[in-house]
Amino acid sequence: MIQLIKGFKDIMPGEVELWQSIETIARRNFEVFGFSEIRPPMMEKTDLFKRSIGEATDIVEKEMYTMEQSKGKMITLRPEATASVVRAYIQHKLYAQDPVRKLYTIGPMFRRERPQKGRFRQFYQINAEVFGVESPYIDAQIILLAMTIFKDLKVKDVSPHINSLGCQTCRPKFKQALVDFLDERLDKLCDDCKRRKDRNPLRVLDCKKTTCIEALVNAPAITDYLCEECTKHFTAVKKALDSQGVDYVIAKRLVRGLDYYARTTFEIQTSSLGAQNSVAGGGRYDGLVKLLGGPEIPGIGFAIGFDRLVEICSMDAKSMEQKPDVFIAPMGEKAAEFAFEWGSGLSLKGIRTEIELSGKSLKSMMKRANRLNSKYVLMVGENELEQGNLVLRNMETKQQADIPVDNVVESIKSLLT
Ligand code: HAM
């Protein structure tokens, strides 16, 4: 038997209802916060991700599903959505009338990471991006929006960890201080970090190896190197979050795994997920629109890890699974013909109907109706057809109603609605 690929999963009936409810709640929040939906494709030119996420990141170095489209033309399954949304924003000149655009997208992403609990190779994100707003209020609002989605889903135990990564003016000084610090401890770093130190030193702060974490205990913190403008911005973000009653943690080591960030960055973390404790990540990417060929327009956004959100969401998916309103149990050839006609008629009227076409005994049909948790069963026997009246049984109260054969669909509809 051919099995599912490792790191991929089926979202089955009984689970998918929870995904749908979460999506509905996320969409409702996006609407009230002024967002419109965008659906970019799942494949993009590889260069888009190399340029935006950064060549010296784990995602680009080791995790992308890339293939050759035609000679020398490489394409990649998207490992994240921001790059695509920015590309679309530029390509369709969404900034032409008004640079301020708020866009959201929900869908699958692909990263060839080592699969483990909470980490998949195809995973889903609920992604928000805002263009054209420099004000620190939008940083706070974006975090508030993500937290509101969690709150509406009754997810407790999540808190935003925030940091500022500075800008082109102040980050180089911090980078130099970090490199100097790392140079003194090279022997304690893993081979990857030795390499990262020269190519992209900030990535060393993101290393999960215990030896590196220990070696970095006293590493310089970026917040000590912020320029006046960045300090002002970060202070204003914190103040705006305070004013909204959002509790946050200052995370001086938070650098995120993608290169496009500047100033505010954040992760929403939970202690209920073990090692994969980040349920959302985001931040400002002020230089990215320009870097990808657009005008100088700032941007900020976040992505919630949908799969991880499902794990910590306390809503009960099983109880949400759809059950038939009416289960039609025909006995005999003639009855099956009517069952087909009435069943389709009921479905067309918006009543969830299951027509049992197995030709089995009434007893086994009733067993199946019970298993499916049907609200009503319509019994269609040869005798009832002849007499002109069918029996509709309420499976909860066990009460039975007569349904005239010449008006089945309308009678059931008026009884149910
Ligand atoms: P990210 O931190 O790479 O950021 O991913 C965001 C979230 O996606 C993570 O916090 C996590 O919940 C989930 N996630 C990431 N990788 C996996 C995986 N392999 N399996 C399951 N869940 C995963 C971004 O992708 C940025 N584009 C976020 C952003 C939007 N920044 C600005 N705008």
Side-chain angles (χ1 to χ4, degrees):
M1 197 224 138
I2 299 171
Q3 301 263 357
L4 195 67
I5 315 168
K6 206 170 164 214
F8 290 70
K9 69 171 174 222
D10 299 309
I11 305 168
M12 301 298 289
E15 291 174 84
V16 86
E17 291 74 13
L18 180 55
W19 288 71
Q20 289 167 345
S21 307
I22 292 177
E23 224 178 286
T24 305
I25 288 173
R27 283 177 194 282
R28 200 174 61 219
N29 276 295
F30 284 130
E31 267 164 38
V32 297
F33 277 83
F35 283 72
S36 311
E37 185 174 3
I38 180 167
R39 297 190 187 185
M42 272 169 244
M43 277 275 193
E44 297 274 4
K45 291 184 180 155
T46 306
D47 277 347
L48 175 69
F49 301 117
K50 281 193 180 167
R51 255 206 265 170
S52 52
I53 299 169
E55 300 248 15
T57 56
D58 280 356
I59 297 180
V60 171
E61 271 183 352
K62 348 180 193 173
E63 296 169 0
M64 296 204 303
Y65 286 94
T66 295
M67 63 194 85
E68 196 168 36
Q69 163 96 316
S70 55
K71 213 167 173 348
K73 296 205 170 122
M74 307 307 285
I75 55 172
T76 294
L77 270 176
R78 64 177 183 195
E80 59 115 44
T82 311
S84 302
V85 177
V86 175
R87 187 218 19 88
Y89 175 81
I90 301 168
Q91 185 168 347
H92 300 280
K93 294 197 170 47
L94 292 189
Y95 49 83
Q97 299 212 321
D98 180 358
V100 181
R101 284 310 284 253
K102 298 180 183 178
L103 303 171
Y104 77 90
T105 192
I106 301 175
M109 311 293 151
F110 303 84
R111 295 184 195 173
R112 196 183 276 154
E113 294 190 79
R114 198 167 53 78
Q116 54 175 254
K117 191 177 182 303
R119 200 205 272 158
F120 304 94
R121 290 182 161 177
Q122 176 178 334
F123 59 99
Y124 295 76
Q125 283 185 343
I126 300 170
N127 206 96
E129 312 292 354
V130 178
F131 296 93
V133 188
E134 216 163 329
S135 161
Y137 284 117
I138 200 73
D139 306 35
Q141 200 184 36
I142 271 287
I143 296 172
L144 177 70
L145 166 58
M147 291 304 284
T148 307
I149 295 175
F150 289 121
K151 194 168 123 238
D152 283 1
L153 289 165
K154 308 202 170 24
V155 174
K156 297 194 190 89
D157 180 35
V158 278
S159 70
H161 289 229
I162 64 171
N163 194 15
S164 172
L165 287 184
C167 64
Q168 306 291 9
T169 316
C170 50
R171 203 179 316 159
K173 283 183 210 141
F174 168 69
K175 263 193 189 167
Q176 191 51 56
L178 183 63
V179 170
D180 293 345
F181 176 88
L182 296 174
D183 275 336
E184 283 167 24
R185 290 160 184 81
L186 266 191
D187 53 327
K188 307 226 162 52
L189 301 181
C190 70
D191 287 344
D192 272 346
C193 282
K194 283 189 185 124
R195 213 168 30 83
R196 286 175 183 137
K197 188 210 73 158
D198 295 319
R199 290 190 74 195
N200 196 349
L202 255 62
R203 294 275 77 80
V204 178
L205 293 173
D206 213 21
C207 185
K208 304 285 181 286
K209 299 210 173 76
T210 328
T211 44
C212 292
I213 293 173
E214 280 166 7
L216 288 162
V217 170
N218 293 316
I222 180 119
T223 34
D224 295 332
Y225 290 79
L226 297 181
C227 63
E228 206 182 320
E229 279 304 302
C230 287
T231 307
K232 218 167 99 193
H233 189 96
F234 196 39
T235 309
V237 174
K238 289 183 276 185
K239 200 168 150 217
L241 286 174
D242 290 337
S243 77
Q244 293 296 314
V246 178
D247 282 332
Y248 53 85
V249 176
I250 306 281
K252 291 183 176 186
R253 287 286 149 71
L254 185 79
V255 285
R256 313 266 304 118
L258 308 98
D259 277 355
Y260 48 62
Y261 292 114
R263 292 197 168 165
T264 317
T265 45
F266 59 91
E267 269 182 23
I268 299 181
Q269 298 186 358
T270 175
S271 53
S272 352
L273 274 181
Q276 306 308 317
N277 62 355
S278 167
V279 271
R284 228 172 221 290
Y285 45 84
D286 289 351
L288 187 57
V289 177
K290 178 111 191 280
L291 180 77
L292 293 178
E296 180 109 39
I297 290 175
I300 180 165
F302 67 75
I304 297 177
F306 205 150
D307 312 68
R308 295 184 190 172
L309 177 55
V310 166
E311 284 276 315
I312 57 171
C313 187
S314 48
M315 291 200 299
D316 176 13
K318 270 279 165 220
S319 69
M320 291 181 206
E321 193 172 357
Q322 289 283 352
K323 38 189 179 235
D325 295 314
V326 179
F327 180 98
I328 306 184
M331 285 154 277
E333 283 280 312
K334 191 85 203 129
E337 203 179 314
F338 281 111
F340 167 69
E341 186 189 322
W342 296 327
S344 307
L346 284 166
S347 295
L348 289 172
K349 294 250 182 260
I351 292 170
R352 196 178 160 108
T353 309
E354 177 74 21
I355 316 168
E356 168 64 62
L357 294 168
S358 64
K360 286 186 180 159
S361 70
L362 181 63
K363 193 172 160 205
S364 67
M365 287 196 282
M366 291 307 276
K367 257 196 194 155
R368 181 157 176 254
N370 264 321
R371 221 174 32 243
L372 296 180
N373 265 320
S374 311
K375 290 175 206 156
Y376 289 90
V377 174
L378 180 70
M379 286 173 266
V380 190
E382 308 272 324
N383 284 346
E384 286 88 347
L385 282 175
E386 257 167 44
Q387 285 157 16
N389 255 331
L390 306 176
V391 174
L392 183 73
R393 184 178 168 88
N394 183 323
M395 298 297 277
E396 234 172 64
T397 62
K398 311 286 178 227
Q399 280 179 339
Q400 310 207 132
D402 283 344
I403 303 290
V405 166
D406 50 13
N407 197 13
V408 171
V409 173
E410 280 310 321
S411 308
I412 295 183
K413 185 166 186 268
S414 59
L415 217 115
L416 260 66
T417 47

mmCIF file of all heavy atoms in Angstrom, residues 293-326:
data_model
loop_
_atom_site.group_PDB
_atom_site.id
_atom_site.type_symbol
_atom_site.label_atom_id
_atom_site.label_comp_id
_atom_site.label_asym_id
_atom_site.label_seq_id
_atom_site.Cartn_x
_atom_site.Cartn_y
_atom_site.Cartn_z
ATOM 1 N N GLY A 293 12.123 45.226 -5.983
ATOM 2 C CA GLY A 293 11.900 46.001 -7.208
ATOM 3 C C GLY A 293 10.754 46.988 -7.153
ATOM 4 O O GLY A 293 10.378 47.582 -8.168
ATOM 5 N N GLY A 294 10.170 47.193 -5.979
ATOM 6 C CA GLY A 294 9.067 48.153 -5.849
ATOM 7 C C GLY A 294 9.555 49.465 -5.270
ATOM 8 O O GLY A 294 10.750 49.660 -5.068
ATOM 9 N N PRO A 295 8.607 50.371 -5.003
ATOM 10 C CA PRO A 295 8.997 51.640 -4.382
ATOM 11 C C PRO A 295 9.375 51.458 -2.909
ATOM 12 O O PRO A 295 9.198 50.367 -2.358
ATOM 13 C CB PRO A 295 7.730 52.495 -4.502
ATOM 14 C CG PRO A 295 6.643 51.618 -4.957
ATOM 15 C CD PRO A 295 7.172 50.264 -5.252
ATOM 16 N N GLU A 296 9.853 52.536 -2.312
ATOM 17 C CA GLU A 296 10.251 52.479 -0.899
ATOM 18 C C GLU A 296 8.984 52.524 -0.026
ATOM 19 O O GLU A 296 8.493 53.600 0.307
ATOM 20 C CB GLU A 296 11.138 53.697 -0.621
ATOM 21 C CG GLU A 296 11.641 53.808 0.780
ATOM 22 C CD GLU A 296 13.127 53.538 0.856
ATOM 23 O OE1 GLU A 296 13.860 53.968 -0.057
ATOM 24 O OE2 GLU A 296 13.529 52.887 1.833
ATOM 25 N N ILE A 297 8.439 51.372 0.264
ATOM 26 C CA ILE A 297 7.194 51.307 1.052
ATOM 27 C C ILE A 297 7.411 50.327 2.206
ATOM 28 O O ILE A 297 7.882 49.208 1.986
ATOM 29 C CB ILE A 297 6.007 50.845 0.162
ATOM 30 C CG1 ILE A 297 5.657 51.959 -0.834
ATOM 31 C CG2 ILE A 297 4.773 50.490 0.998
ATOM 32 C CD1 ILE A 297 4.595 51.591 -1.838
ATOM 33 N N PRO A 298 7.100 50.751 3.433
ATOM 34 C CA PRO A 298 7.329 49.836 4.559
ATOM 35 C C PRO A 298 6.291 48.716 4.615
ATOM 36 O O PRO A 298 5.214 48.829 4.014
ATOM 37 C CB PRO A 298 7.189 50.759 5.777
ATOM 38 C CG PRO A 298 6.304 51.872 5.323
ATOM 39 C CD PRO A 298 6.548 52.050 3.853
ATOM 40 N N GLY A 299 6.624 47.671 5.337
ATOM 41 C CA GLY A 299 5.693 46.551 5.471
ATOM 42 C C GLY A 299 5.848 45.892 6.825
ATOM 43 O O GLY A 299 6.894 46.013 7.485
ATOM 44 N N ILE A 300 4.798 45.229 7.235
ATOM 45 C CA ILE A 300 4.848 44.476 8.502
ATOM 46 C C ILE A 300 3.799 43.376 8.436
ATOM 47 O O ILE A 300 2.765 43.540 7.756
ATOM 48 C CB ILE A 300 4.607 45.396 9.728
ATOM 49 C CG1 ILE A 300 4.666 44.584 11.027
ATOM 50 C CG2 ILE A 300 3.292 46.158 9.640
ATOM 51 C CD1 ILE A 300 4.798 45.424 12.277
ATOM 52 N N GLY A 301 4.056 42.247 9.096
ATOM 53 C CA GLY A 301 3.058 41.179 9.061
ATOM 54 C C GLY A 301 3.373 40.071 10.036
ATOM 55 O O GLY A 301 4.325 40.159 10.820
ATOM 56 N N PHE A 302 2.540 39.057 9.979
ATOM 57 C CA PHE A 302 2.785 37.868 10.807
ATOM 58 C C PHE A 302 2.212 36.637 10.125
ATOM 59 O O PHE A 302 1.407 36.751 9.191
ATOM 60 C CB PHE A 302 2.168 38.007 12.210
ATOM 61 C CG PHE A 302 0.660 38.034 12.241
ATOM 62 C CD1 PHE A 302 -0.088 36.873 12.055
ATOM 63 C CD2 PHE A 302 -0.015 39.221 12.461
ATOM 64 C CE1 PHE A 302 -1.483 36.893 12.080
ATOM 65 C CE2 PHE A 302 -1.420 39.251 12.492
ATOM 66 C CZ PHE A 302 -2.142 38.085 12.300
ATOM 67 N N ALA A 303 2.663 35.489 10.569
ATOM 68 C CA ALA A 303 2.027 34.242 10.138
ATOM 69 C C ALA A 303 1.797 33.381 11.369
ATOM 70 O O ALA A 303 2.705 33.176 12.178
ATOM 71 C CB ALA A 303 2.914 33.509 9.141
ATOM 72 N N ILE A 304 0.550 32.919 11.490
ATOM 73 C CA ILE A 304 0.220 31.974 12.561
ATOM 74 C C ILE A 304 0.411 30.574 11.986
ATOM 75 O O ILE A 304 -0.019 30.306 10.865
ATOM 76 C CB ILE A 304 -1.247 32.139 13.019
ATOM 77 C CG1 ILE A 304 -1.472 33.537 13.612
ATOM 78 C CG2 ILE A 304 -1.626 31.062 14.031
ATOM 79 C CD1 ILE A 304 -2.917 33.826 14.021
ATOM 80 N N GLY A 305 1.072 29.704 12.728
ATOM 81 C CA GLY A 305 1.217 28.311 12.307
ATOM 82 C C GLY A 305 -0.110 27.605 12.568
ATOM 83 O O GLY A 305 -0.455 27.327 13.719
ATOM 84 N N PHE A 306 -0.825 27.335 11.490
ATOM 85 C CA PHE A 306 -2.200 26.803 11.597
ATOM 86 C C PHE A 306 -2.181 25.440 12.309
ATOM 87 O O PHE A 306 -2.967 25.178 13.222
ATOM 88 C CB PHE A 306 -2.778 26.690 10.177
ATOM 89 C CG PHE A 306 -4.273 26.743 10.076
ATOM 90 C CD1 PHE A 306 -4.887 27.255 8.931
ATOM 91 C CD2 PHE A 306 -5.089 26.276 11.095
ATOM 92 C CE1 PHE A 306 -6.270 27.307 8.811
ATOM 93 C CE2 PHE A 306 -6.475 26.323 10.990
ATOM 94 C CZ PHE A 306 -7.058 26.831 9.843
ATOM 95 N N ASP A 307 -1.226 24.574 11.884
ATOM 96 C CA ASP A 307 -1.174 23.212 12.463
ATOM 97 C C ASP A 307 -0.958 23.276 13.983
ATOM 98 O O ASP A 307 -1.537 22.513 14.740
ATOM 99 C CB ASP A 307 -0.018 22.411 11.839
ATOM 100 C CG ASP A 307 -0.003 22.522 10.336
ATOM 101 O OD1 ASP A 307 0.268 23.641 9.815
ATOM 102 O OD2 ASP A 307 -0.281 21.534 9.662
ATOM 103 N N ARG A 308 -0.073 24.194 14.393
ATOM 104 C CA ARG A 308 0.214 24.311 15.830
ATOM 105 C C ARG A 308 -0.967 24.906 16.567
ATOM 106 O O ARG A 308 -1.267 24.521 17.698
ATOM 107 C CB ARG A 308 1.474 25.165 16.040
ATOM 108 C CG ARG A 308 2.696 24.477 15.470
ATOM 109 C CD ARG A 308 3.977 25.230 15.725
ATOM 110 N NE ARG A 308 5.039 24.617 14.936
ATOM 111 C CZ ARG A 308 6.246 25.109 14.809
ATOM 112 N NH1 ARG A 308 6.570 26.249 15.411
ATOM 113 N NH2 ARG A 308 7.146 24.482 14.081
ATOM 114 N N LEU A 309 -1.655 25.842 15.915
ATOM 115 C CA LEU A 309 -2.838 26.453 16.522
ATOM 116 C C LEU A 309 -3.910 25.382 16.768
ATOM 117 O O LEU A 309 -4.531 25.341 17.827
ATOM 118 C CB LEU A 309 -3.362 27.562 15.592
ATOM 119 C CG LEU A 309 -4.638 28.276 15.993
ATOM 120 C CD1 LEU A 309 -4.522 28.863 17.396
ATOM 121 C CD2 LEU A 309 -4.959 29.393 15.004
ATOM 122 N N VAL A 310 -4.074 24.494 15.786
ATOM 123 C CA VAL A 310 -5.059 23.413 15.935
ATOM 124 C C VAL A 310 -4.722 22.560 17.172
ATOM 125 O O VAL A 310 -5.591 22.174 17.941
ATOM 126 C CB VAL A 310 -5.099 22.545 14.652
ATOM 127 C CG1 VAL A 310 -5.834 21.236 14.880
ATOM 128 C CG2 VAL A 310 -5.742 23.323 13.510
ATOM 129 N N GLU A 311 -3.407 22.306 17.360
ATOM 130 C CA GLU A 311 -2.958 21.489 18.507
ATOM 131 C C GLU A 311 -3.361 22.093 19.846
ATOM 132 O O GLU A 311 -3.686 21.375 20.782
ATOM 133 C CB GLU A 311 -1.428 21.386 18.499
ATOM 134 C CG GLU A 311 -0.858 20.448 17.476
ATOM 135 C CD GLU A 311 -0.860 19.020 17.983
ATOM 136 O OE1 GLU A 311 -0.467 18.811 19.137
ATOM 137 O OE2 GLU A 311 -1.283 18.137 17.210
ATOM 138 N N ILE A 312 -3.289 23.425 19.943
ATOM 139 C CA ILE A 312 -3.512 24.030 21.265
ATOM 140 C C ILE A 312 -4.913 24.602 21.424
ATOM 141 O O ILE A 312 -5.242 25.144 22.461
ATOM 142 C CB ILE A 312 -2.472 25.137 21.565
ATOM 143 C CG1 ILE A 312 -2.502 26.226 20.493
ATOM 144 C CG2 ILE A 312 -1.097 24.560 21.722
ATOM 145 C CD1 ILE A 312 -1.651 27.428 20.863
ATOM 146 N N CYS A 313 -5.723 24.441 20.375
ATOM 147 C CA CYS A 313 -7.062 24.989 20.431
ATOM 148 C C CYS A 313 -7.946 24.019 21.189
ATOM 149 O O CYS A 313 -7.972 22.833 20.876
ATOM 150 C CB CYS A 313 -7.547 25.169 19.002
ATOM 151 S SG CYS A 313 -9.073 25.994 18.929
ATOM 152 N N SER A 314 -8.655 24.504 22.189
ATOM 153 C CA SER A 314 -9.377 23.547 23.034
ATOM 154 C C SER A 314 -10.762 23.198 22.491
ATOM 155 O O SER A 314 -11.489 22.439 23.107
ATOM 156 C CB SER A 314 -9.473 24.098 24.453
ATOM 157 O OG SER A 314 -9.902 25.423 24.391
ATOM 158 N N MET A 315 -11.114 23.744 21.333
ATOM 159 C CA MET A 315 -12.444 23.413 20.810
ATOM 160 C C MET A 315 -12.492 21.930 20.408
ATOM 161 O O MET A 315 -11.505 21.388 19.934
ATOM 162 C CB MET A 315 -12.762 24.293 19.605
ATOM 163 C CG MET A 315 -12.975 25.736 20.022
ATOM 164 S SD MET A 315 -13.880 26.693 18.840
ATOM 165 C CE MET A 315 -12.871 26.640 17.411
ATOM 166 N N ASP A 316 -13.647 21.329 20.572
ATOM 167 C CA ASP A 316 -13.770 19.900 20.320
ATOM 168 C C ASP A 316 -14.233 19.660 18.875
ATOM 169 O O ASP A 316 -15.379 19.903 18.536
ATOM 170 C CB ASP A 316 -14.774 19.320 21.336
ATOM 171 C CG ASP A 316 -15.035 17.857 21.068
ATOM 172 O OD1 ASP A 316 -14.266 17.255 20.286
ATOM 173 O OD2 ASP A 316 -16.003 17.325 21.624
ATOM 174 N N ALA A 317 -13.295 19.166 18.051
ATOM 175 C CA ALA A 317 -13.605 19.003 16.627
ATOM 176 C C ALA A 317 -14.629 17.902 16.406
ATOM 177 O O ALA A 317 -15.516 18.024 15.581
ATOM 178 C CB ALA A 317 -12.343 18.687 15.860
ATOM 179 N N LYS A 318 -14.513 16.823 17.190
ATOM 180 C CA LYS A 318 -15.419 15.683 16.985
ATOM 181 C C LYS A 318 -16.884 16.126 17.060
ATOM 182 O O LYS A 318 -17.715 15.724 16.256
ATOM 183 C CB LYS A 318 -15.151 14.600 18.042
ATOM 184 C CG LYS A 318 -14.105 13.601 17.590
ATOM 185 C CD LYS A 318 -14.727 12.539 16.673
ATOM 186 C CE LYS A 318 -13.657 11.759 15.928
ATOM 187 N NZ LYS A 318 -13.971 11.462 14.545
ATOM 188 N N SER A 319 -17.156 17.018 18.058
ATOM 189 C CA SER A 319 -18.544 17.432 18.242
ATOM 190 C C SER A 319 -19.009 18.355 17.117
ATOM 191 O O SER A 319 -20.189 18.641 16.986
ATOM 192 C CB SER A 319 -18.707 18.129 19.585
ATOM 193 O OG SER A 319 -18.035 19.364 19.542
ATOM 194 N N MET A 320 -18.045 18.853 16.324
ATOM 195 C CA MET A 320 -18.436 19.745 15.235
ATOM 196 C C MET A 320 -18.686 18.991 13.944
ATOM 197 O O MET A 320 -19.140 19.560 12.967
ATOM 198 C CB MET A 320 -17.287 20.724 14.936
ATOM 199 C CG MET A 320 -17.036 21.729 16.000
ATOM 200 S SD MET A 320 -15.691 22.725 15.390
ATOM 201 C CE MET A 320 -15.027 23.284 16.904
ATOM 202 N N GLU A 321 -18.320 17.701 13.927
ATOM 203 C CA GLU A 321 -18.441 16.964 12.674
ATOM 204 C C GLU A 321 -19.898 16.985 12.199
ATOM 205 O O GLU A 321 -20.822 16.798 12.987
ATOM 206 C CB GLU A 321 -17.966 15.526 12.859
ATOM 207 C CG GLU A 321 -17.790 14.834 11.541
ATOM 208 C CD GLU A 321 -17.130 13.458 11.685
ATOM 209 O OE1 GLU A 321 -16.762 13.063 12.799
ATOM 210 O OE2 GLU A 321 -17.003 12.796 10.666
ATOM 211 N N GLN A 322 -20.066 17.230 10.916
ATOM 212 C CA GLN A 322 -21.416 17.334 10.361
ATOM 213 C C GLN A 322 -22.142 15.996 10.453
ATOM 214 O O GLN A 322 -21.570 14.959 10.161
ATOM 215 C CB GLN A 322 -21.315 17.732 8.882
ATOM 216 C CG GLN A 322 -20.870 19.150 8.678
ATOM 217 C CD GLN A 322 -21.982 20.145 8.936
ATOM 218 O OE1 GLN A 322 -23.136 19.770 9.123
ATOM 219 N NE2 GLN A 322 -21.634 21.421 8.966
ATOM 220 N N LYS A 323 -23.392 16.027 10.857
ATOM 221 C CA LYS A 323 -24.177 14.793 10.841
ATOM 222 C C LYS A 323 -25.383 14.997 9.932
ATOM 223 O O LYS A 323 -25.850 16.136 9.768
ATOM 224 C CB LYS A 323 -24.589 14.388 12.246
ATOM 225 C CG LYS A 323 -24.952 15.526 13.144
ATOM 226 C CD LYS A 323 -25.114 15.002 14.557
ATOM 227 C CE LYS A 323 -25.463 16.136 15.488
ATOM 228 N NZ LYS A 323 -24.594 16.278 16.604
ATOM 229 N N PRO A 324 -25.897 13.901 9.354
ATOM 230 C CA PRO A 324 -27.035 14.065 8.455
ATOM 231 C C PRO A 324 -28.259 14.573 9.201
ATOM 232 O O PRO A 324 -28.507 14.162 10.335
ATOM 233 C CB PRO A 324 -27.293 12.650 7.928
ATOM 234 C CG PRO A 324 -26.113 11.839 8.303
ATOM 235 C CD PRO A 324 -25.451 12.505 9.461
ATOM 236 N N ASP A 325 -29.024 15.471 8.557
ATOM 237 C CA ASP A 325 -30.315 15.859 9.121
ATOM 238 C C ASP A 325 -31.280 14.699 8.912
ATOM 239 O O ASP A 325 -32.022 14.331 9.804
ATOM 240 C CB ASP A 325 -30.854 17.105 8.390
ATOM 241 C CG ASP A 325 -29.975 18.321 8.624
ATOM 242 O OD1 ASP A 325 -29.602 18.559 9.782
ATOM 243 O OD2 ASP A 325 -29.632 19.012 7.646
ATOM 244 N N VAL A 326 -31.239 14.158 7.692
ATOM 245 C CA VAL A 326 -32.173 13.074 7.365
ATOM 246 C C VAL A 326 -31.401 11.901 6.752
ATOM 247 O O VAL A 326 -30.547 12.098 5.892
ATOM 248 C CB VAL A 326 -33.231 13.546 6.345
ATOM 249 C CG1 VAL A 326 -34.192 12.422 5.993
ATOM 250 C CG2 VAL A 326 -33.995 14.740 6.883
#
